[in-house]
Amino acid sequence: MNILHDERLDGVLPMPDRTALLHKLSIRLPDLHVLHRDEELKPYECDGLAAYRATPLLVVLPETLEQVQIIMQTCNELKVPVVARGAGTGLSGGALPLEQGVLLVMAKFNRILEVNPEGRFARVQPGVRNLAISEACAIHSLYYAPDPSSQIACSIGGNVAENAGGVHCLKYGLTVHNLISVDIITVEGEQMTLGSDALDSPGFDLMALFTGSEGMLGIVVEVKVKLLPKPQVARVLMASFDDVEKAGLAVGNIIAAGIIPGGLEMMDNLAIRAAEDFIHAGYPVEAEAILLCELDGVESDVDEESARVQEVLEQSGATAVQTAKDEAERQRFWAGRKNAFPAVGRISPDYYCMDGTIPRRELPGVLKGIAELSERYDLRVANVFHAGDGNMHPLILFDADVPGGLEKAEALGGQILELCVKVGGSITGEHGVGREKINQMCSQFNDDELELFHAVKAAFDPDRLLNPGKNIPTLHRCAEFGAMHIHHGELPFPELERF
Ligand SMILES: Cc1cc2nc3c(=O)[nH]c(=O)nc-3n(C[C@H](O)[C@H](O)[C@H](O)COP(=O)(O)OP(=O)(O)OC[C@H]3O[C@@H](n4cnc5c(N)ncnc54)[C@H](O)[C@@H]3O)c2cc1C
């Protein structure tokens, strides 16, 4: 494969014959729900990253495994690209359709197939909402731990494809740590089970490889997830700070004290005010930053850890520490955090959510760097994020109606991600690369690493039909972006034109 010059890898694709595809699908799958009129396609033109839009060639909504298999076989035969879509809440344009491709919407795969309290697992179809799993097993005092803030809407298939995280992933792990197996349909239409019921299995760990692969290796059709017993007690402490950097420092201090909280989240003043105005969570609107620290487990452990966390927070410079007095207040504290994104949406015509991860100890410096960049670009930035994981979510406030507004916000976002990489972090924590951060992949990885990613992709999808143009940039693209990894001052691929 020549990844220097294969334009298909950059999403430059020939336009397929839509009529021929429709005809084939209607003969092979007369009952398949297919959308092809302009007004039917419009609602699917973007995911949660609404700044990027494209009208898909066709939208298909299969209901059975066999339908998915035949769709994949037909698209493979006609060399038509396929983009999978769950609930469309992704924030990096991963489910952004292609004008030359089919959008495969998995929303009708919405059944919980089995809840097994003895085995502590559930088997679910990929379109099942994340929160619906915990709701279905609550009767057994069990729950599914990874809890993205979008859990009321996002699908488990999308969670697998993005390796989604959430408030409680610091202690309980990301999606990949809470899966038992994943059933997929390959680009050729074959069914495969990745992972197994055994704790370890021979061969390469393909389930881990697949998790977070953003719809580029296959279609998730069933997921077997681990269920955990609900902790006996969960208590949340809210600490206020008069300085954002002090709050950042406190995060590292808590972990250094040997405590792994169930959740450890941070919000700065702009986010606090927006959330308080929207949810009335009881947040201190005068604080420069708050930390929400949840401790869970058996009562005696929670008592002891709460006292220690309180001490660490005070020693780190907290101006006040408040413990939620009851379950209703605990829920309110979390509701403010979980609704912070829509809350920020109320105070700005548009916002652009970034997602970078840094080593925890770098939090104070990176928060300072973001504040400086915000000033330099003259754009407000609200910070609300999974502080314990070092997973930053700067929300850049802008107005898309102002000419150049989006471009300026994107440029600031790019700078923030570069800052994350500079301190040893990563350009994505949980939202994926998608279309949005494809250029920053050139800063994160060198040419050998990118070639390896393309080779893995080719092993699953030799014709690059699954979600092309996302996630992994070509070296040509990196050269154009101008952010190619320079090793010892040597420019890779000097023969390429730079624009
Ligand atoms: C308000 C808000 C808060 C959020 N908070 C968080 C958070 O705390 N943590 C977090 O991790 N994310 C968060 N997100 C991002 C988003 O919800 C997650 O990335 C989620 O996992 C996407 O799921 P989805 O079903 O909406 O997938 P989609 O957006 O539909 O798709 C996402 C990607 O998955 C692929 N995909 C979807 N279904 C399948 C399938 N069946 N087979 C193969 N590929 C598939 C798509 O091709 C695409 O690349 C948030 C989003 C919003 C809007």
Side-chain angles (χ1 to χ4, degrees):
M1 176 177 41
N2 183 347
I3 73 159
L4 265 184
H5 294 295
D6 191 334
E7 291 194 308
R8 281 174 303 167
L9 293 174
D10 276 333
V12 181
L13 307 157
M15 186 55 83
D17 182 343
R18 186 161 89 147
T19 315
L21 176 64
L22 258 175
H23 181 68
K24 262 208 165 123
L25 284 174
S26 66
I27 289 174
R28 292 178 180 178
L29 294 170
D31 297 329
L32 177 67
H33 194 171
V34 183
L35 308 177
H36 58 92
R37 295 188 190 90
D38 281 353
E39 65 276 19
E40 294 173 328
L41 301 177
K42 202 89 185 136
Y44 294 95
E45 65 181 10
C46 68
D47 61 7
L49 182 65
Y52 298 12
R53 287 165 193 266
T55 309
L57 186 72
L58 290 180
V59 172
V60 293
L61 291 118
E63 277 178 88
T64 66
L65 208 62
E66 196 196 10
Q67 286 182 339
V68 178
Q69 288 182 296
I70 294 175
I71 292 165
M72 294 312 292
Q73 282 159 5
T74 308
C75 289
N76 194 29
E77 226 171 272
L78 300 176
K79 301 298 167 223
V80 178
V82 177
V83 178
R85 176 178 164 118
T89 67
L91 291 171
S92 57
L96 176 74
L98 291 165
E99 280 166 13
Q100 308 87 338
V102 166
L103 190 70
L104 177 69
V105 179
M106 296 303 283
K108 292 191 173 194
F109 275 72
N110 58 2
R111 283 187 305 125
I112 295 182
L113 303 169
E114 181 182 1
V115 172
N116 188 316
E118 289 79 31
R120 289 206 182 147
F121 68 81
R123 282 195 308 116
V124 301
Q125 290 190 318
V128 167
R129 290 176 307 114
N130 171 297
L131 187 60
I133 304 176
S134 291
E135 285 169 350
C137 57
I139 185 173
H140 307 291
S141 293
L142 297 171
Y143 77 116
Y144 174 64
D147 55 344
S149 302
S150 52
Q151 67 181 152
I152 193 169
C154 66
S155 75
I156 190 74
N159 290 177
V160 171
E162 297 286 5
N163 192 16
V167 166
H168 290 94
C169 291
L170 172 63
K171 184 166 179 180
Y172 297 104
L174 299 165
T175 301
V176 68
H177 305 114
N178 288 276
L179 299 175
I180 296 170
S181 58
V182 177
D183 280 17
I184 66 161
I185 300 295
T186 66
V187 73
E188 288 97 5
E190 281 163 20
Q191 190 177 351
M192 277 174 77
T193 300
L194 311 179
S196 85
D197 290 346
L199 199 56
D200 193 10
S201 48
F204 293 137
D205 188 350
L206 294 182
M207 186 177 74
L209 174 69
F210 190 92
T211 310
S213 62
E214 302 191 16
M216 296 186 74
L217 303 183
I219 308 300
V220 180
V221 287
E222 192 179 310
V223 188
K224 192 170 180 181
V225 298
K226 294 177 191 167
L227 301 176
L228 297 182
K230 272 194 187 163
Q232 216 178 69
V233 179
R235 191 172 302 154
V236 67
L237 282 77
M238 176 170 65
S240 314
F241 291 84
D242 56 10
D243 180 274
V244 176
E245 287 171 56
K246 278 188 207 162
L249 207 60
V251 171
N253 291 345
I254 292 173
I255 309 287
I259 300 159
I260 305 290
L264 184 51
E265 300 285 306
M266 181 166 160
M267 294 166 74
D268 70 5
N269 183 265
L270 197 51
I272 296 168
R273 283 175 187 274
E276 185 55 24
D277 222 31
F278 184 35
I279 297 293
H280 311 299
Y283 291 166
V285 289
E286 71 293 345
E288 282 305 312
I290 58 169
L291 283 184
L292 292 172
C293 179
E294 179 155 296
L295 301 157
D296 60 8
V298 293
E299 188 139 21
S300 54
D301 287 354
V302 173
D303 285 345
E304 195 191 314
E305 287 192 340
S306 303
R308 283 175 62 206
V309 166
Q310 169 121 15
E311 211 178 290
V312 175
L313 289 167
E314 284 166 358
Q315 281 166 1
S316 307
T319 51
V321 182
Q322 183 185 342
T323 303
K325 62 180 181 301
D326 53 25
E327 181 57 18
E329 190 165 62
R330 185 181 84 91
Q331 293 293 351
R332 257 202 317 280
F333 283 177
W334 282 126
R337 162 63 185 93
K338 293 207 171 187
N339 285 286
F341 286 15
V344 168
R346 295 168 78 237
I347 61 166
S348 171
D350 300 277
Y351 74 83
Y352 185 40
C353 172
M354 302 312 295
D355 165 48
T357 303
I358 55 166
R360 264 187 303 262
R361 64 176 181 284
E362 303 290 348
L363 269 174
V366 170
L367 286 166
K368 191 168 169 222
I370 292 176
E372 284 165 8
L373 285 166
S374 156
E375 212 162 288
R376 192 179 330 145
Y377 279 80
D378 195 22
L379 289 174
R380 291 185 298 163
V381 177
N383 285 293
V384 43
F385 59 100
H386 308 309
D389 301 312
N391 183 194
M392 319 278 301
H393 286 326
L395 304 178
I396 302 169
L397 280 55
F398 72 103
D399 184 350
D401 288 340
V402 172
L406 172 63
E407 290 73 15
K408 197 165 142 191
E410 282 182 318
L412 169 53
Q415 291 284 312
I416 293 174
L417 294 181
E418 306 262 326
L419 180 61
C420 293
V421 175
K422 211 162 115 191
V423 300
S426 143
I427 60 161
T428 169
E430 53 184 19
H431 295 171
V433 174
R435 176 62 63 83
E436 180 204 22
K437 282 180 272 191
I438 195 157
N439 287 339
Q440 278 75 33
M441 286 288 280
C442 309
S443 312
Q444 179 96 58
F445 296 104
N446 66 30
D447 42 329
D448 291 340
E449 290 161 337
L450 292 175
E451 279 200 72
L452 195 58
F453 290 157
H454 282 292
V456 171
K457 160 92 172 141
F460 281 80
D461 177 19
D463 292 313
R464 280 89 79 198
L465 295 176
L466 289 168
N467 220 357
K470 315 264 178 78
N471 198 345
I472 321 168
T474 56
L475 301 182
H476 195 266
R477 186 185 185 102
C478 288
E480 284 195 26
F481 174 58
M484 173 79 78
H485 182 95
I486 310 286
H487 187 58
H488 294 316
E490 284 169 25
L491 189 67
F493 303 102
E495 74 277 15
L496 285 180
E497 257 183 282
R498 261 73 178 173
F499 299 97

